[in-house]
Every structure is written in C-alpha cells, then in structure tokens.
Amino acid sequence: MLNIRSMINTGPIGESSFTLDTSGVAGVFGGDEAVSAMATVHVYENRRWLGWYNTPGSYQIAKRYGLLAKSRFFDGFFPGVHTDPATLFELDGWKGPKFRAAHSGTIIDETSHLAALFMKESESLEGKVIEGRKTQSVGVTVAELKHVPAPQMYPKRINAYSPVFASIPISVSVGACAACAVFGDWFSFSLILLGILTSGISCLVIGSGKFTFTHPDPAKGSPPGDGILTGKDIVLLKGEEGAVNSITRGRFSLQFASEPYYRNIGWCSVLLTIQFVAQLLLVPQGSLFGQIMFVASLGVSWAYNSWLSSLDKEKIQRDILLNNVLGKPRLTKYILGTRTSMVVFVLLVLQSEEPAKILEELLPNDTKVWRTWKSTVLKRLLDKEKIQFGVADWDIDGFSHQEKALLETLYGDAQSAYDGFVQYCASQ
C-alpha cells in the first residue's frame, strides 16, 4: 500500500533528475502548421467546435490573428499592418484575370479572387481536342451559368471533415492531462489543461465569423453578362449579368459580431501568448513523466495540425464556389491547336454583336494577310454564314505565293474552329 502511494506521489519516473529542454520543444513544434490549421475553421462544418486539444504554435497563432484587433493596447502586443479577416484567412487577396464582356463592352482589368479560383478550376479540367493544325494548344472552357446567387448569402460549408480525426488529439490531450493528475504532477496537469482550454476557446471565437458571399446586384434590364476571362487558358462565361458578376466581382468574406475592432479575437490572442509564456517557463517545474505527457500531447496535436494543413484549401474554396454558390454550372473544355482557331471559336460561342473589338484584342496582328483574313471572317460571323472557304478566298491578285499560303493556313484554322463550334452546339 505504501508503494502505491509513493508511486502516485512521485510518478512512474519521478526519481529521475533528467529534464526535457522545453525551449527546444517550443521551437520545434508549432508555427506554420498551427496557423494553417486554424485557417480551416471557417470552411469546414463544425470545425470550430473541435479545437479542444493542447495545440502547439500558440504564439504564432496569436501573432497572426492578433493583427485583426484594433486598439492601442492590442497594437502594442501585436504590431503590424491591420488587414481584413477574409485576406488574413486566405479567402480573398488573389488577383483575377482580365474580363471583357461580349455585349455590354465592360472591361475589368483585374477581377476578383473568385475569378482566379474559377480560372484554376478550368485549368484543371480535361478538354476535348478539336482536330486541326497544332502550334501552341489553347484551352477554352465554356461555363454555362444558369443559377443567379442572391446578392448576399451564407454558403454551406464543406462537410467532408470527420470529427473522428479530431477526437485523436482531443483524447490524447485529455488523457495526458488526466495522467498528470493521477500521478500528482499539478504543474504539467495545469499547463496541458491551459493549452486545451486556450485552443478550444480560440477556435470558438476565431471560428465565430460568418462565412459570407456577396456580389453586386445588377440593374434591371442589363444585357446578358457573357464574356471572356483571359489567362493561361480562356474561360467563356455565359449567363445573366448577376451570374457572371458573381465570378468577376463577387467575394468571400467573414462577418464577426465584434467588428470593426475585433476585441474578442484580440483577447484570445493575448490568452494564447500567456499560454506560450507559461508553458515555456513552468513545464520544467513538472516531473519528467509530466513533461513527457506534455510533449506527447503536443506531438499528436502537431501531427493533426499537419494533416489539416495538408488539405487543399484552394480546392475547398473552389468546391464551395462551384457547388454551393453557382449551383454546379456546366463546364466544358475544348483544346484548340492554334491561337487563331481559339479566337474564332470564342467569337462563334459568344455571338457578340461587335465581334471586331474582341477579335482585335485577342489577335492584334496587323498585316495585309491578317487584315484580309479578319475582314472575311468577320463578314461571315455577322452574316451568320458557315465558316467554310475555297480557293477563291485565298487566291487573290496582288498577293505573293507565301501570302496566299499563309492565308490558306489561317482559313484552315478558322474552319477547324467552326467544326469545334458544331460539336459544341450538338452537345447543348
């Protein structure tokens, strides 16, 4: 009986004089993984309720999200440039590709973060190859936008995140805390418990932001919003103005009850800083067993944070945009062999009333051959004629043999684009 009491008082390795270097532990664990894991709290359903574990990297989290708090007091704790929550949580901030409307003539040189996401999605698609000459292939994705989102909505978040995974670091942290209490190591017990509570409260407070989508409400009578996003690939947006500007001018944001000062996030960041300092200074006061329990809880939590960090947050945002905001639009990608055939295909799909402006922007070439080719193609587009050519179209007096050969080649590209357009129409 005496031996059992002695073991409870001293712990299983309580006689050891060995002490862990907790300053080294603080340096190895934490940091980027903890910050990245916290950034998932708004895109996964129920993630904010599952932060009750002794997470490493508390100081890095405090430095990162303490920048939201606006007051002289918090500025002293967390100096730096204030930014909005959406940018801080990487829900905004990307520069999107140039957009040109086919009917209204609107040009947006730099579109929104969501347009950049949409372009990434189009680049990831497999395309249907259009037969014809090949120099440098260009992908053209046609997006049929049938759903017009409300001017402000709260998209459903991804539900693929399993609470089962979160139960692992929670169970280990609680178990380590209980083991320290059983063996009477109250320093380690208190610090692990502090880590559990601080992490859980921080997830609740930082995750309390309401995930929001907004876009401009178009004026009544606006023409269709059809247009072109130009980047590495080409994306054709087809739909009402409200559907198209959801991509070109829409944005994700976070709405907090404490804005614009975000004092609750500031106090959470202070609490995280206190946790970091307390653990750094007081863990060496515990027994070796308690220190091992503390490091074990950090190690499992670090592994869990690393798993969360490895999830593709860009893909998660793309899924939310496509499925929960835009209503699963139909995306069809075509691969055209030359830039010339790509431009003709774009003009055929958009059916713009002023195709010359789009043609000149996408193909600024200005020689005798190109001017002749453009004139012929534009006439057939405006007259709604088939894009088909014969010898008479390129066997023109005053053109050299090389110029006639180039003109024949360019007409062949245009005809290939028309064949692709026929395929597109057949799939509708």
Side-chain angles (χ1 to χ4, degrees):
M1 190 71 176
L2 186 61
N3 289 337
I4 294 175
R5 287 179 181 174
S6 175
M7 187 176 182
I8 291 176
N9 289 332
T10 63
I13 47 179
E15 298 299 324
S16 173
S17 60
F18 181 78
T19 301
L20 293 179
D21 181 1
T22 54
S23 62
V25 171
V28 172
F29 292 115
D32 295 338
E33 292 86 357
V35 171
S36 183
M38 185 64 78
T40 65
V41 75
H42 299 104
V43 294
Y44 278 117
E45 198 72 37
N46 301 320
R47 165 75 177 91
R48 64 177 294 215
W49 306 102
L50 301 172
W52 303 96
Y53 55 92
N54 184 26
T55 186
S58 58
Y59 183 58
Q60 295 294 329
I61 298 173
K63 281 204 306 181
R64 170 86 170 179
Y65 300 116
L67 292 174
L68 282 175
K70 297 176 183 177
S71 76
R72 290 184 179 179
F73 174 78
F74 294 122
D75 287 347
F77 267 94
F78 313 108
V81 179
H82 294 293
T83 185
D84 66 286
T87 302
L88 202 61
F89 285 93
E90 299 176 1
L91 298 172
D92 198 10
W94 286 6
K95 295 179 180 179
K98 183 178 181 178
F99 174 77
R100 184 185 183 100
H103 304 295
S104 66
T106 301
I107 297 176
I108 305 175
D109 289 324
E110 191 176 283
T111 50
S112 70
H113 177 89
L114 301 189
L117 289 175
F118 202 89
M119 182 64 79
K120 288 273 189 181
E121 181 69 22
S122 73
E123 291 172 359
S124 70
L125 299 175
E126 293 291 329
K128 301 177 182 179
V129 178
I130 304 301
E131 295 298 323
R133 185 171 69 99
K134 289 181 173 59
T135 54
Q136 185 175 2
S137 297
V138 184
V140 179
T141 301
V142 183
E144 307 283 348
L145 305 173
K146 305 295 185 183
H147 174 67
V148 180
Q152 178 171 304
M153 61 178 292
Y154 306 102
K156 184 179 179 182
R157 292 174 288 184
I158 298 295
N159 207 22
Y161 172 78
S162 175
V164 174
F165 295 112
S167 67
I168 298 172
I170 292 173
S171 300
V172 170
S173 293
V174 172
C177 190
C180 291
V182 167
F183 291 105
D185 187 343
W186 299 111
F187 274 111
S188 299
F189 165 81
S190 301
L191 292 173
I192 295 173
L193 181 61
L194 175 63
I196 293 171
L197 294 176
T198 302
S199 175
I201 292 169
S202 298
C203 270
L204 282 175
V205 172
I206 294 174
S208 66
K210 208 165 190 179
F211 185 57
T212 309
F213 167 79
T214 54
H215 73 106
D217 193 10
K220 291 182 179 180
S222 297
D226 302 359
I228 314 168
L229 289 172
T230 53
K232 181 181 177 182
D233 281 357
I234 300 292
V235 176
L236 305 183
L237 305 177
K238 291 179 63 67
E240 295 182 30
E241 172 63 24
V244 172
N245 76 23
S246 296
I247 297 171
T248 59
R249 300 168 65 192
R251 67 186 301 262
F252 288 145
S253 60
L254 295 171
Q255 295 181 352
F256 288 88
S258 60
E259 59 188 26
Y261 298 108
Y262 306 104
R263 290 193 178 95
N264 56 349
I265 297 177
W267 285 116
C268 272
S269 299
V270 171
L271 185 60
L272 286 163
T273 304
I274 292 172
Q275 174 205 345
F276 167 74
V277 173
Q279 290 180 340
L280 192 65
L281 297 178
L282 299 181
V283 167
Q285 306 305 315
S287 67
L288 178 59
F289 173 76
Q291 293 173 20
I292 291 173
M293 290 295 99
F294 175 77
V295 172
S297 67
L298 283 186
V300 173
S301 299
W302 171 79
Y304 173 68
N305 284 344
S306 298
W307 174 74
L308 280 178
S309 302
S310 71
L311 301 176
D312 190 344
K313 289 182 278 295
E314 175 197 308
K315 181 66 166 60
I316 294 167
Q317 291 183 43
R318 280 156 45 189
D319 288 344
I320 293 173
L321 173 65
L322 290 167
N323 300 328
N324 302 342
V325 174
L326 299 175
K328 299 181 180 179
R330 181 181 180 184
L331 304 179
T332 311
K333 186 172 182 178
Y334 299 89
I335 307 296
L336 294 110
T338 69
R339 187 166 183 83
T340 311
S341 56
M342 176 274 289
V343 171
V344 176
F345 181 80
V346 165
L347 295 174
L348 287 165
V349 172
L350 289 178
Q351 295 292 308
S352 173
E353 294 179 1
E354 296 183 339
K357 292 182 179 180
I358 299 174
L359 177 58
E360 288 299 331
E361 181 169 327
L362 296 178
L363 274 180
N365 308 56
D366 188 23
T367 64
K368 182 171 65 173
V369 172
W370 279 102
R371 286 194 296 269
T372 301
W373 178 84
K374 289 178 181 179
S375 175
T376 306
V377 170
L378 285 172
K379 184 178 184 304
R380 301 205 179 181
L381 284 170
L382 293 171
D383 293 343
K384 309 296 182 184
E385 296 178 7
K386 289 184 177 180
I387 308 294
Q388 293 180 341
F389 305 94
V391 176
D393 291 302
W394 61 77
D395 191 10
I396 302 173
D397 292 339
F399 278 55
S400 68
H401 175 73
Q402 289 83 356
E403 289 172 332
K404 290 177 183 180
L406 175 57
L407 196 54
E408 180 183 1
T409 300
L410 297 177
Y411 283 140
D413 289 344
Q415 194 156 333
S416 297
Y418 183 75
D419 294 339
F421 176 66
V422 171
Q423 292 182 36
Y424 162 75
C425 292
S427 68
Q428 298 305 297

